Amino acid sequence: MAAVITTSLVATAVQWLLAHWWVMVMVGVLAAGAGGLWSQQVRQRTEWARVRAQALRMRIAEIDALDHRAFEFAVRDLMRRDGCQAERIGGAGDDACDVRAVDPAGRVWAIQCKHKRDGERGSAVGVGVLQQVNGTAWQVHGADVAVVLTNGRFSSKAIPWGWQHRIHLVNRRLLSEWAAGSSPLWDLLDRIPPPRRPTALS
């Protein structure tokens, strides 16, 4: 009995739709229009995000004018501009990592930021800062690339120490070039490890 009723209802519905075929046409048109509008909005939002990210350019004078906290957020945003997943974790208990990022090749970056109010005229970033980074970048943050980045300069002892311990030093000149948008940071540094399978930030 149930099968007979179901068949009868289906047959009735089919007959009604055949008699009112324009209803199906209208539903199809509306569905296609809604789907097309949704797809267009998604593409538009993606394009807007890409344009905003690519438009991020900073001059060194703008960077100098930041405070240390804003400097860390600027570095995070520059990493995001270059296609990274990046977060600012600076502050108390940051374990010598102000920005942690995963680049498009899957490499994890631990970046320590040192903002100098007086730029190159300020005190140089010394070996002590590099030693702190060396003690946490690999073990705590799981970094493939450890970076100390400043709008100032490094001491004469810090430069060879960083090279020996695989810590990349980004000084004022290199920061200025990167912030201007010429290339992603990994294209401006030597001895970057090879790509690995992309992973999400943990």
Side-chain angles (χ1 to χ4, degrees):
M1 180 66 71
V4 171
I5 293 173
T6 301
T7 302
S8 176
L9 288 173
V10 170
T12 301
V14 169
Q15 288 176 354
W16 186 89
L17 289 173
L18 289 174
H20 301 83
W21 56 268
W22 53 269
V23 174
M24 292 298 295
V25 173
M26 289 296 295
V27 170
V29 169
L30 290 173
L37 181 61
W38 176 82
S39 178
Q40 181 181 13
Q41 289 176 339
V42 169
R43 287 197 304 271
Q44 204 169 49
R45 284 195 297 267
T46 302
E47 180 65 13
W48 286 340
R50 184 186 66 80
V51 169
R52 282 197 301 270
Q54 288 184 342
L56 179 59
R57 304 287 186 269
M58 298 189 72
R59 293 178 290 108
I60 196 66
E62 294 176 301
I63 293 173
D64 288 340
L66 302 174
D67 61 27
H68 74 278
R69 187 170 182 272
F71 181 52
E72 293 166 2
F73 279 110
V75 170
R76 179 204 66 181
D77 291 344
L78 288 168
M79 293 298 285
R80 288 180 176 179
R81 177 198 69 187
D82 293 340
C84 299
Q85 294 176 290
E87 60 179 341
R88 183 253 181 190
I89 57 176
D94 63 13
D95 290 315
C97 177
D98 294 313
V99 176
R100 184 176 184 271
V102 180
D103 69 24
R107 294 168 296 218
V108 177
W109 293 63
I111 305 174
Q112 177 75 335
C113 303
K114 290 297 177 183
H115 187 268
K116 298 294 181 178
R117 186 176 58 184
D118 298 324
E120 283 187 315
R121 297 189 304 276
S123 60
V125 178
V127 172
V129 172
L130 277 62
Q131 290 174 333
Q132 292 175 0
V133 171
N134 191 52
T136 59
W138 330 110
Q139 301 91 329
V140 176
H141 301 292
D144 299 298
V145 187
V147 177
V148 179
L149 183 151
T150 182
N151 65 322
R153 58 192 174 88
F154 292 95
S155 70
S156 59
K157 292 183 178 179
I159 295 171
W161 200 95
W163 180 266
Q164 181 181 355
H165 292 85
R166 297 187 301 122
I167 297 176
H168 297 274
L169 306 185
V170 177
N171 61 14
R172 183 179 182 84
R173 179 195 60 77
L174 200 57
L175 171 61
S176 179
E177 183 178 356
W178 175 47
S182 62
S183 301
L185 190 54
W186 46 89
D187 283 351
L188 301 175
L189 299 175
D190 297 324
R191 302 192 303 168
I192 295 296
R196 69 174 184 173
R197 189 161 59 108
T199 58
L201 284 172
S202 56

